[in-house]
């Protein structure tokens, strides 16, 4: 028997299968997906790799083919379906096969397997009694006698119990083992991150829209039809209840389900809702778990100890034996796109996995990604709409305030009169409010109003951010310098920051409302472990009246006592140099508005902006997703941007700027030749961040209506890069339909 192996070396030239012979003693032991050790290269150094195929046929010269040495470890075998998925990811997103395999692997690093040891009595009752008598008659055998007596009561005991409770040393147990009196057995134990709780689930009565979604799903399911569904429903419309009902349906047939949730929304509250309904059959993954804990959850899934895995992106690769459904909540979230190679999108990859396993996918959002809504329009996805909040709570009232008018009227504050008035009202009524800004730091970047000079990081070519304590900090590489108060270019004193940050807002709010209790949540206050949860919990407990924060406060939290949301500087995210800026702005504003009035009191929202007429802001204020979609999709059509056309970004990095430029020019020429003018080539340009850690960067964009055309282009470029020595000193990455323009 022969095995095809992908070796664990990330190098384009080695990105192919290597054939090995399976020695007869390993036949039947080695399986597809296993990690093995094999000799490699002229020196036969030992390397590890993954078996992706086993067959009787060897395509390589059988006289030269080497033997596999041994399995690398007992664990980490990759499911065959996941190997197929990895192959698709490599093809679809670039990178090497080993990178793709490692992405679908439950954990990358070796982890400590936790074991529980048991001691089993091997003698029958009679022989046991005789042995006990023998031990009792010998004063030096007292501890043996204790073990024997206990084992005669219970044939199997935990080793730990014997050592700790019977006060018997390990060497005594080992001696009994050697004598053939007992046998030490071990069992892997997997940690369970879910705390037991008594909370019970009570069935609810679904409203008509929920019932309709559930029924239509069930009908398709019973007919064996596999689809991708978009569950489009405003926040609080009861989407989670619908997911749970659909999951319950597939569980009844002995199948399992994966629920993807953005990490930030994976709160205790969410997990408890699933726990109440499905009890101990659920598990979670999150980034704070150790590799060992994550590994345990994957093993529990594989061995059938759980039915539902809830987690962020990587939970998609849970090795369930009989997957029945994949749910992606908040499917529009940009965190579903990986920033590491392969730069896969969890939504597309989930749909591929579902296809490989013959299951359906349910996507849920109040503000669907343009991609998903477009696919619905094209008839590729089926849509379920939940128009009303589950208990018909009304949507909040939204006011848009034009900050240019405020300035004209003499208000120079970052709080508009309207917002200030409503804040005072809420403080009087003892209701809570949230102020949201999409920036961090004290005052943003520093620039000179006389000459236009902007303080930048010498290594990264991004503007430095002013922090408290007179520091200017680079958010890419961490470079710091002292803040200056006169312009280094022209000597003017009119240098400083203009934009408000969370800290500045906090100071201002405290000054204006000294009686208010204020909490601030941003990158700086949540750096410590659990900092994030602590702040949210304090706010949920009513320890503060006002929560001030960046984007992280608007996602998915449910604070029933919040009746006012203020969005300061709604437009900051509009001017990002990026075709998704409008979409991101709409989503942020709509989500922020969705935070107000989740309880019994009606909510109000104030959106402060310098561009009240921009369609993203107008439609967000009306909470009209469909109106936004119409505007946005016509812009994407006009410009040929995703999801209408497809975009491939090729990011090249290198220390030698001249070499980088030449290489990019060659790439472009080559691409134009093979693309035969069908593929539109943009660039090369200096990306938004032109230099990181002294590496220069250039980016090329390719546009075409068909994705396959771009994957073909990627394959051609990869070959071209591989055979041309000039690219050796550069790092080239591919990113399909990138979330950001570089
Ligand atoms: P979404 O996921 O769309 O934000 P949820 O499923 O979290 O909405 O529902 C919001 C709240 O309404 C939850 O507390 C949920 O238990 C409750 N809820 C949902 N559907 C119903 C229903 N049909 N009857 C009563 N309560 C419901
Ligand atoms: Zn100046
Ligand atoms: Zn820097």
């Amino acid at each position: 028997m022969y095995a095809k192996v992908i070796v664990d070396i990330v190098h384009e030239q080695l990105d192919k299968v290597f054939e090995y012979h399976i020695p007869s003693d390993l036949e039947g032991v080695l399986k597809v997906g296993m990690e093995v050790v094999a000799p490699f290269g002229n020196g036969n150094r030992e390397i590890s790799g993954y078996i992706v195929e086993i067959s009787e046929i060897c395509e390589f010269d059988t006289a030269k083919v080497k033997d596999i040495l041994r399995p690398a470890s007992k664990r980490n075998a990759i499911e065959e379906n996941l190997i197929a998925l990895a192959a698709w990811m490599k093809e679809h997103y670039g990178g090497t096969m080993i990178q793709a395999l490692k992405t679908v692997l439950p954990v990358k690093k070796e982890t400590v397997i936790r074991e529980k040891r048991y001691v089993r009595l091997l003698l029958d009752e009679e022989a046991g009694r005789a042995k006990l008598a023998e031990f009792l008659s010998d004063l030096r055998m007292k501890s043996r006698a204790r073990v024997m007596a206990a084992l005669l009561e219970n044939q199997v005991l935990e080793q730990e119990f014997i050592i700790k409770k019977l006060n018997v040393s390990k060497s005594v147990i080992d001696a009994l083992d050697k004598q053939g009196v007992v046998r030490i057995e071990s069992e892997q134990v997997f940690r369970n991150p879910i705390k037991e709780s008594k909370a019970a689930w009570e069935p609810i009565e679904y409203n008509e829209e929920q019932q309709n979604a559930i029924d239509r799903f069930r009908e398709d399911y019973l007919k064996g039809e596999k689809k991708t569904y978009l569950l489009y429903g405003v926040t609080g419309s009861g989407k989670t209840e619908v997911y749970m009902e659909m999951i319950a349906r597939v569980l009844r047939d002995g199948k399992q389900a994966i629920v993807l949730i953005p990490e930030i929304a994976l709160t205790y509250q969410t997990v408890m809702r699933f726990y109440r309904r499905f009890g101990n059959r659920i598990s979670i993954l999150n980034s704070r778990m150790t590799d060992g804990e994550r590994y345990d959850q994957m093993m529990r899934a594989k061995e059938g100890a759980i039915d539902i895995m809830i987690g962020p992106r990587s939970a998609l690769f849970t090795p369930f034996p009989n997957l029945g459904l994949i749910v992606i909540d908040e499917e529009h979230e940009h965190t579903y796109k990986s920033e590491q190679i392969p730069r896969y999108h969890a939504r597309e990859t989930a749909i591929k996995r579902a296809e490989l396993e013959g299951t359906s996918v349910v996507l849920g959002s109040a503000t669907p990604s343009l991609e998903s809504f477009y696919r619905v329009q094209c008839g590729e996805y089926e849509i379920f709409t939940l128009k009303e909040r589950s208990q018909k709570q009304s949507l909040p009232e939204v006011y848009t305030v034009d900050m240019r008018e405020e300035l004209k009227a003499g208000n120079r504050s970052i709080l508009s009169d309207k917002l200030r008035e409503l804040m005072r009202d809420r403080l009087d009524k003892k209701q809570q409010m949230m102020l949201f800004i999409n920036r961090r730091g004290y005052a943003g970047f520093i620039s000179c109003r006389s000459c236009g000079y902007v303080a930048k990081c010498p290594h990264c070519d991004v503007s430095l951010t002013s922090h408290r304590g007179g520091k200017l900090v680079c958010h890419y590489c961490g470079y710091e310098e002292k803040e200056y108060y006169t312009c280094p270019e022209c000597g003017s004193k009119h240098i400083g920051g203009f934009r408000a940050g969370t800290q500045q807002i906090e100071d201002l709010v405290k000054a204006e409302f000294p009686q208010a209790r204020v909490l601030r949540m941003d990158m700086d206050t949540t750096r410590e472990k659990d900092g994030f949860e602590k702040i949210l919990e304090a706010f949920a407990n009513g320890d503060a009246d006002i929560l001030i924060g960046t984007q992280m406060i608007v996602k998915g939290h449910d604070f029933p006592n919040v009746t006012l949301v203020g969005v300061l500087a709604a437009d900051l995210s509009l001017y990002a140099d990026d075709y998704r800026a409008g979409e991101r702005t709409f989503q942020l504003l709509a989500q922020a508005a969705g935070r107000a009035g989740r309880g019994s009191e009606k909510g109000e929202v104030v959106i402060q902006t310098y561009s009240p007429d921009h369609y993203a802001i107008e439609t967000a204020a009306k909470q009209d997703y469909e109106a936004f979609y119409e505007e946005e999709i016509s812009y994407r059509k006009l410009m040929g941007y995703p999801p209408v056309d497809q975009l491939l970004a090729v990011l090249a990095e290198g220390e030698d700027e001249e070499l980088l430029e030449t290489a990019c020019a060659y790439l472009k020429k080559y691409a134009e030749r093979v693309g035969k003018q069908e593929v539109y080539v943009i660039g090369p340009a200096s990306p938004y961040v032109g230099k990181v850690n002294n590496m220069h960067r250039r980016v090329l964009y390719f546009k075409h209506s068909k994705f396959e055309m771009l994957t073909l282009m990627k394959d051609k470029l990869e070959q071209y890069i591989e055979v041309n020595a000039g690219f050796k000193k550069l790092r080239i990455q591919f990113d399909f339909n990138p979330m950001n323009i570089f």
Side-chain angles (χ1 to χ4, degrees):
M1 297 294 271
Y2 299 91
K4 292 199 166 90
V5 173
I6 296 281
V7 299
D8 192 354
I9 302 170
V10 178
H11 194 299
E12 282 73 20
Q13 266 142 353
L14 302 179
D15 190 25
K16 56 187 174 218
V17 291
F18 289 87
E19 287 194 271
Y20 284 93
H21 175 249
I22 300 180
S24 53
D25 60 321
L26 290 180
E27 250 178 56
V29 176
L30 298 185
K31 300 258 159 59
V32 169
M34 257 188 202
E35 189 182 7
V36 292
V37 178
F40 192 75
N42 292 334
N44 281 337
R45 84 190 150 100
E46 289 190 8
I47 51 118
S48 67
Y50 293 91
I51 300 180
V52 291
E53 209 183 305
I54 291 180
S55 79
E56 288 174 14
I57 305 152
C58 183
E59 286 155 32
F60 192 64
D61 182 355
T62 46
K64 285 191 195 154
V65 72
K66 298 172 190 175
D67 276 6
I68 285 180
L69 299 174
R70 59 184 179 272
S73 64
K74 281 184 284 185
R75 62 183 90 105
N76 278 6
I78 309 173
E79 285 350 77
E80 283 190 57
N81 267 336
L82 290 175
I83 293 178
L85 188 63
W88 177 86
M89 288 165 75
K90 168 196 150 57
E91 194 41 45
H92 223 70
Y93 299 108
T96 63
M97 187 61 186
I98 193 70
Q99 287 170 321
L101 284 175
K102 287 190 164 182
T103 306
V104 304
L105 204 64
V107 273
K108 279 125 206 118
K109 280 185 247 140
E110 279 285 295
T111 55
V112 180
I113 292 182
R114 287 229 192 153
E115 280 180 332
K116 213 175 221 166
R117 287 182 196 277
Y118 296 93
V119 177
R120 177 186 293 277
L121 179 63
L122 294 177
L123 308 177
D124 60 21
E125 175 90 30
E126 201 181 323
R129 298 252 166 245
K131 212 53 176 175
L132 176 60
E134 182 191 323
F135 291 154
L136 283 171
S137 65
D138 187 338
L139 278 179
R140 290 163 308 172
M141 299 282 172
K142 265 166 125 179
S143 36
R144 284 176 207 220
R146 278 205 299 283
V147 178
M148 207 56 211
L151 283 171
L152 282 165
E153 296 279 313
N154 288 296
Q155 209 188 357
V156 184
L157 289 172
E158 275 184 40
Q159 177 174 287
E160 202 180 291
F161 172 83
I162 297 177
I163 293 172
K164 294 233 172 92
K165 293 279 152 53
L166 302 183
N167 201 19
V168 171
S169 73
K170 174 79 166 63
S171 58
V172 169
I173 303 172
D174 287 343
L176 288 171
D177 184 38
K178 270 215 194 83
Q179 285 184 325
V181 175
V182 301
R183 185 171 62 218
I184 300 171
E185 297 174 346
S186 69
E187 183 186 272
Q188 288 191 23
V189 283
F190 303 121
R191 284 151 281 195
N192 178 357
I194 309 289
K195 304 262 176 304
E196 294 272 342
S197 146
K198 289 238 163 56
W201 175 66
E202 294 204 0
I204 53 170
E205 203 165 305
Y206 299 113
N207 65 33
E208 210 178 302
E209 290 175 327
Q210 288 173 316
Q211 195 61 52
N212 174 51
I214 291 163
D215 290 346
R216 274 167 58 201
F217 173 82
R218 193 187 49 228
E219 280 160 31
D220 287 344
Y221 176 76
L222 292 175
K223 274 190 274 177
E225 278 192 50
K226 317 292 187 255
K227 290 183 183 166
T228 300
Y229 304 93
L230 174 63
L231 182 56
Y232 161 49
V234 295
T235 42
S237 58
K239 294 187 291 298
T240 308
E241 299 294 339
V242 174
Y243 305 145
M244 290 200 289
E245 189 61 36
M246 291 170 171
I247 290 169
R249 185 66 201 82
V250 307
L251 257 55
R252 235 173 281 150
D253 293 337
K255 298 184 185 180
Q256 302 89 35
I258 293 171
V259 181
L260 300 188
I261 288 185
E263 171 113 34
I264 206 160
L266 187 58
T267 57
Y268 178 75
Q269 285 172 12
T270 319
V271 176
M272 279 315 288
R273 285 178 71 182
F274 279 86
Y275 180 83
R276 254 178 257 136
R277 177 137 192 194
F278 301 104
N280 246 327
R281 305 295 297 173
I282 69 164
S283 187
I284 55 167
L285 289 176
N286 67 48
S287 62
R288 286 176 313 249
M289 289 170 135
T290 63
D291 276 344
E293 286 168 320
R294 294 171 60 83
Y295 175 77
D296 284 359
Q297 302 327 305
M298 292 298 198
M299 292 315 290
R300 293 174 74 213
K302 190 168 177 154
E303 300 196 338
I306 55 165
D307 300 321
I308 301 171
M309 181 67 91
I310 308 170
R313 205 170 61 216
S314 59
L316 178 58
F317 306 113
T318 304
F320 277 127
N322 190 6
L323 187 62
L325 185 64
I326 303 174
V327 172
I328 306 184
D329 192 29
E330 311 282 357
E331 63 86 28
H332 60 275
E333 278 292 327
H334 68 275
T335 51
Y336 285 126
K337 176 91 192 267
S338 174
E339 311 240 293
Q340 276 141 26
I341 302 171
R343 292 169 180 261
Y344 68 97
H345 197 296
R347 187 196 316 120
E348 296 159 358
T349 311
I351 292 170
K352 184 63 192 181
R353 180 163 185 196
E355 183 194 313
L356 290 169
E357 312 230 7
T359 69
S360 289
V361 177
V362 177
L363 310 170
S365 177
T367 54
S369 60
L370 261 269
E371 276 75 8
S372 296
F373 213 73
Y374 183 66
R375 303 264 171 272
V376 169
Q377 309 302 316
C378 298
E380 289 172 45
Y381 300 173
E382 193 158 323
I383 191 166
F384 300 138
T385 309
L386 307 181
K387 285 215 172 62
E388 304 222 40
R389 284 188 166 178
S390 62
Q391 279 130 320
K392 313 225 164 166
Q393 302 98 312
S394 50
L395 289 170
E397 181 92 38
V398 182
Y399 310 97
T400 310
V401 177
D402 185 343
M403 293 305 277
R404 295 170 304 186
E405 297 296 325
E406 291 285 311
L407 196 65
K408 271 191 210 155
N411 178 13
R412 300 179 147 264
S413 163
I414 44 175
L415 299 179
S416 61
D417 288 342
K418 179 78 189 171
L419 182 56
R420 201 183 275 129
E421 171 201 320
L422 292 177
M423 287 173 72
R424 199 166 293 129
D425 173 69
R426 294 314 193 270
L427 285 172
D428 288 345
K429 288 188 187 149
K430 304 244 177 299
Q431 292 174 357
Q432 290 180 299
M433 63 203 102
M434 292 164 110
L435 297 183
F436 155 63
I437 182 170
N438 45 13
R439 276 221 136 204
R440 67 163 170 149
Y442 181 69
F445 68 85
I446 292 279
S447 64
C448 171
R449 270 173 280 179
S450 304
C451 78
Y453 170 84
V454 176
K456 283 189 173 177
C457 171
H459 307 298
C460 302
D461 200 22
V462 296
S463 52
L464 296 170
T465 302
S466 163
H467 278 222
R468 200 167 254 182
K471 275 188 307 188
L472 295 178
V473 181
C474 169
H475 282 167
Y476 276 82
C477 73
Y479 169 87
E480 283 184 13
E481 60 180 74
K482 268 181 74 177
E483 183 158 359
Y484 21 82
Y485 302 96
T486 53
C487 174
E489 287 281 316
C490 74
S492 161
K493 285 200 167 60
H494 296 289
I495 186 162
F498 295 101
R499 305 233 161 112
T502 41
Q503 251 176 45
Q504 197 182 6
I505 294 166
E506 184 185 6
D507 293 348
L508 185 118
V509 167
K510 280 181 170 163
E512 278 207 40
F513 305 101
Q515 77 278 29
R517 297 164 304 157
V518 182
L519 276 173
R520 173 166 65 91
M521 183 151 110
D522 56 21
M523 296 289 262
D524 295 323
T525 59
T526 54
R527 201 155 287 155
E528 65 168 302
K529 193 173 182 273
D530 298 335
F532 187 76
E533 282 83 3
K534 276 183 202 151
I535 295 175
L536 289 178
E537 211 179 289
F539 190 59
N541 287 340
D543 295 348
D545 308 300
I546 305 174
L547 176 63
I548 297 169
T550 51
Q551 6 294 51
M552 36 175 115
I553 67 170
V554 307
K555 306 269 166 77
H557 309 290
D558 206 344
F559 301 111
N561 199 30
V562 170
T563 57
L564 174 64
V565 170
V567 183
L568 312 166
D571 1 28
L572 281 187
S573 57
L574 266 186
Y575 300 113
D577 181 14
D578 178 348
Y579 72 89
R580 289 183 204 263
E583 182 177 2
R584 197 160 16 224
T585 303
F586 177 86
Q587 282 166 353
L588 274 173
L589 296 182
Q591 300 265 345
R595 297 303 108 208
R598 309 262 295 183
S600 49
E601 297 282 328
K602 189 174 165 73
E604 286 179 305
V605 179
V606 177
I607 295 178
Q608 299 188 168
T609 174
Y610 291 90
S611 31
D613 306 327
H614 190 285
Y615 65 87
I617 292 186
E618 266 190 339
T619 54
K622 289 194 207 123
Q623 308 210 47
D624 187 348
Y625 173 80
E626 278 148 80
F628 166 74
Y629 173 82
E630 290 305 327
E631 291 273 358
E632 183 68 19
I633 201 74
S634 48
Y635 154 73
R636 305 275 179 104
K637 274 183 186 146
L638 185 72
M639 303 298 292
Y641 284 138
V644 182
D645 281 349
Q646 313 294 322
L647 201 62
L648 166 62
V650 180
L651 182 67
E653 296 176 302
E655 275 180 32
D656 182 343
E657 194 168 12
E658 215 170 300
L659 175 73
L660 183 68
E661 299 239 310
T662 317
C664 286
Y666 272 103
L667 268 187
K668 179 173 182 161
K669 224 183 266 165
Y670 177 75
E672 280 169 343
R673 201 166 66 223
V674 300
K676 298 190 191 80
Q677 270 139 26
E678 276 183 51
V679 178
Y680 189 61
V681 188
I682 310 162
S686 273
Y688 176 58
V689 181
K691 200 172 147 197
V692 170
N693 273 326
N694 293 320
M695 294 283 271
H696 294 274
R697 313 166 98 202
R698 291 291 183 278
V699 65
L700 276 164
Y701 289 101
F702 299 89
K703 235 166 35 174
H704 195 273
S705 59
K706 292 211 177 62
F707 201 91
E708 298 74 51
M709 196 69 185
L710 294 181
T711 48
L712 200 70
M713 177 62 88
K714 180 215 72 189
D715 291 345
K716 291 248 163 84
L717 290 175
E718 275 179 341
Q719 286 162 17
Y720 182 73
I721 289 163
E722 194 184 312
V723 300
N724 283 285
F727 290 98
K728 287 251 150 55
K729 285 188 184 150
L730 304 175
R731 200 166 98 105
I732 314 255
Q733 296 179 59
F734 297 91
D735 195 347
F736 286 91
N737 294 337
M739 296 310 272
N740 302 299
I741 294 285
F742 291 105

